[in-house]
Amino acid sequence: MSNTNTIAVEQAFDVEKIRNDFPILKQSVYGKPLVYLDNAATSQKPKMVIDTLCRYYTKTNANVHRGVHFLSEKASHEYEETREKVRQYINASSHEEIIFTRGTTEGINLVAQTFGRQNVREGDEILISTMEHHSNIVPWQMLCSEGRATLKIIPINDKGEIIVEEYERLLTPRTTLTAFAHVSNSLGTVNSVKHMIEIAHNKNVPVLIDGAQAMPHYRIDVRDLDADFYSFSSHKMFGPTGIGVLYGKKSFLESMPPYQGGGDMIKSVTFEKTLYNDLPYKFEAGTPNIADTIAFGAAIDYLGALDFESIQEYEHELLEYATERLSAIEGINIIGTAEHKASVISFTLEGVHPHDIGTILDREGIAIRTGHHCAQPVMQRFGVPATARISFALYNTREEVDALVNGISRVKEIFA
Ligand code: PMP
């Protein structure tokens, strides 16, 4: 991108204004300004999310759905309001298709344990990709071992892209479901999910998308994608931890058995027979995470007010700048060079263990992640035990990339 274009993007997208919304970014760590580059693990929270949590516990706290009193009705109203905000935000057809979960992981487990158990028979296949997070591997492994089905794996190429022809070949009449990430947390690859969903549907195979890493960077329209299930976490999209969403098409959710039993997921209970509640409550047993759900609503408001086109341009430019600067450092090897990437750069540095890179950068106030990123099969595919990973959010800057590059020079000096 030319300099003129860069300036135009930066003017359209006022990163300083955004940074002001995130109080945590103002602090220093070990006497250095905090440079937070671990957004794929979890994002920071804008003040309006933090204030909503505080306001909820100061003014509203009560249990939902059961009370006749003022506070319970208010809490129920705000809780359900978030469901409606999410519905609108992802363009689902109905609030019945929005199931609150603890996060992406729970959403995937829910589908494996309900839809999966109901439909997987001996000899059937579940198809996932090499680049999946453990949370989109292990629930399917558990299901397959229970039902004597087989887990099939779509290979990826050396750039870290799904080989779509192999995907197509691996979808067979035995495939009960295919599940893959929209965006890889370890490589940054953005998969062509709409196209891949179309291919699966042409073979009558339902699709679950792990949207954990896509939601903070893209405006997702589940109807346009035609996803059957789409699972994501609030904490990666500037909302609180402990709350997430499983979107599911009503036709699937209606025919699936409940996930957990308990209060709220029932219409009536006798010792002889229990009648389950309607959607979405059939899948929400017990007292939910009320406060965080309501504060998640504030995160959706925050995201909804942003211009995603300029965010995407800005983040793309930042990714290109960081890739260029890191690639210029001798000894750095970037793992994951897909044509379409979101804000993640995984790398190794010759002669230095990724954990040492992370520890030295930490002393410079720079937070990155090192390890296998809950994607050990990806590490095996690329023949490395671990990588150092930086991941951007909309509040990161070119100056922070420069600080990172200086920090890596420091690492090299120490290990020279
Ligand atoms: N899938 C991907 C691609 C992820 O990056 C993560 C979080 N690192 C998860 C699933 C799991 O998300 P959570 O821990 O919020 O359930």
Side-chain angles (χ1 to χ4, degrees):
M1 190 179 273
S2 76
N3 270 347
T4 348
N5 277 342
T6 304
I7 290 162
V9 168
E10 280 180 357
Q11 275 170 356
F13 179 76
D14 188 347
V15 70
E16 282 313 317
K17 190 161 170 280
I18 295 276
R19 288 181 72 81
N20 268 332
D21 296 333
F22 292 82
I24 205 168
L25 299 178
K26 294 192 173 72
Q27 70 184 306
S28 293
V29 172
Y30 304 118
K32 309 270 171 65
L34 169 68
V35 175
Y36 187 77
L37 297 176
D38 194 18
N39 294 285
T42 199
S43 61
Q44 299 302 349
K45 320 301 170 200
K47 191 166 179 302
M48 62 189 271
V49 168
I50 302 165
D51 288 349
T52 302
L53 267 180
C54 184
R55 184 190 50 74
Y56 172 77
Y57 280 121
T58 313
K59 295 243 175 201
T60 311
N61 180 48
N63 210 334
V64 290
H65 298 154
R66 287 181 279 274
V68 288
H69 59 82
F70 178 82
L71 289 186
S72 176
E73 282 184 0
K74 190 163 177 245
S76 304
H77 173 74
E78 291 184 16
Y79 177 80
E80 289 303 327
E81 211 172 41
T82 296
R83 200 188 304 275
E84 176 55 19
K85 285 177 188 178
V86 173
R87 185 201 70 72
Q88 283 182 22
Y89 192 72
I90 64 170
N91 195 29
S93 311
S94 156
H95 76 283
E96 295 166 296
E97 300 182 316
I98 307 298
I99 313 294
F100 286 131
T101 62
R102 278 191 301 128
T104 311
T105 306
E106 191 176 47
I108 298 170
N109 276 280
L110 189 158
V111 176
Q113 290 303 311
T114 57
F115 175 86
R117 274 185 161 175
Q118 189 179 44
N119 292 291
V120 166
R121 300 280 168 269
E122 189 174 341
D124 284 353
E125 295 167 358
I126 300 283
L127 181 61
I128 63 170
S129 90
T130 307
M131 72 173 75
E132 299 313 312
H133 187 280
H134 295 164
S135 64
N136 200 24
I137 301 175
V138 185
W140 305 117
Q141 261 173 345
M142 290 161 65
L143 173 71
C144 285
S145 68
E146 244 177 58
R148 281 182 282 168
T150 310
L151 191 64
K152 292 271 185 168
I153 312 298
I154 317 159
I156 57 176
N157 65 22
D158 292 342
K159 290 172 150 183
E161 295 162 329
I162 282 180
I163 304 171
V164 177
E165 303 76 56
E166 285 297 306
Y167 164 67
E168 199 158 0
R169 194 181 61 76
L170 286 162
L171 285 164
T172 74
R174 303 249 59 165
T175 316
T176 309
L177 178 125
T178 180
F180 45 84
H182 195 155
V183 175
S184 152
N185 70 308
S186 53
L187 300 167
T189 310
V190 182
N191 289 316
S192 52
V193 285
K194 190 171 174 180
H195 179 53
M196 289 175 70
I197 290 170
E198 202 182 331
I199 293 174
H201 284 174
N202 283 340
K203 299 193 177 197
N204 291 322
V205 177
V207 186
L208 178 144
I209 303 292
D210 169 353
Q213 295 295 341
M215 289 303 287
H217 304 295
Y218 302 107
R219 264 316 281 269
I220 302 303
D221 180 330
V222 286
R223 271 194 279 178
D224 177 57
L225 291 180
D226 201 20
D228 300 301
F229 301 101
Y230 198 101
S231 192
F232 55 98
S233 307
S234 143
H235 73 96
K236 311 244 190 220
M237 43 194 299
F238 316 111
T241 49
I243 176 72
V245 169
L246 173 72
Y247 159 79
K249 280 184 187 162
K250 190 174 166 185
S251 51
F252 282 100
L253 295 176
E254 266 178 342
S255 60
M256 283 154 51
Y259 177 44
Q260 295 179 330
D264 246 23
M265 53 74 74
I266 52 88
K267 268 187 179 152
S268 68
V269 179
T270 64
F271 286 121
E272 289 71 39
K273 188 176 167 57
T274 289
L275 275 183
Y276 301 135
N277 209 340
D278 297 327
L279 291 175
Y281 310 107
K282 180 172 90 176
F283 292 106
E284 294 179 4
T287 299
N289 185 350
I290 306 162
D292 292 315
T293 306
I294 292 170
F296 179 36
I300 300 276
D301 289 341
Y302 185 80
L303 283 169
L306 296 172
D307 169 10
F308 262 77
E309 235 170 76
S310 51
I311 290 172
Q312 269 164 34
E313 262 182 275
Y314 178 78
E315 289 188 352
H316 182 70
E317 190 272 329
L318 202 58
L319 181 70
E320 281 196 339
Y321 179 65
T323 306
E324 201 178 295
R325 291 227 54 198
L326 287 176
S327 307
I329 300 173
E330 216 186 300
I332 283 217
N333 181 30
I334 294 180
I335 313 272
T337 50
E339 226 40 65
H340 298 289
K341 271 187 76 169
S343 309
V344 168
I345 305 178
S346 260
F347 63 94
T348 56
L349 178 61
E350 222 173 275
V352 189
H353 193 279
H355 287 302
D356 293 328
I357 304 175
T359 308
I360 295 166
L361 289 179
D362 176 49
R363 289 283 154 175
E364 302 292 317
I366 303 168
I368 70 158
R369 184 144 295 241
T370 62
H372 53 60
H373 318 294
C374 294
Q376 282 183 332
V378 172
M379 303 296 120
Q380 283 148 20
R381 167 65 179 79
F382 287 93
V384 290
T387 71
R389 180 189 74 183
I390 57 167
S391 50
F392 299 117
L394 44 85
Y395 40 65
N396 290 121
T397 65
R398 287 163 79 94
E399 290 70 32
E400 291 181 316
V401 173
D402 295 339
L404 169 78
V405 171
N406 290 339
I408 293 175
S409 302
R410 179 99 191 89
V411 175
K412 289 189 74 169
E413 272 164 33
I414 293 171
F415 279 85

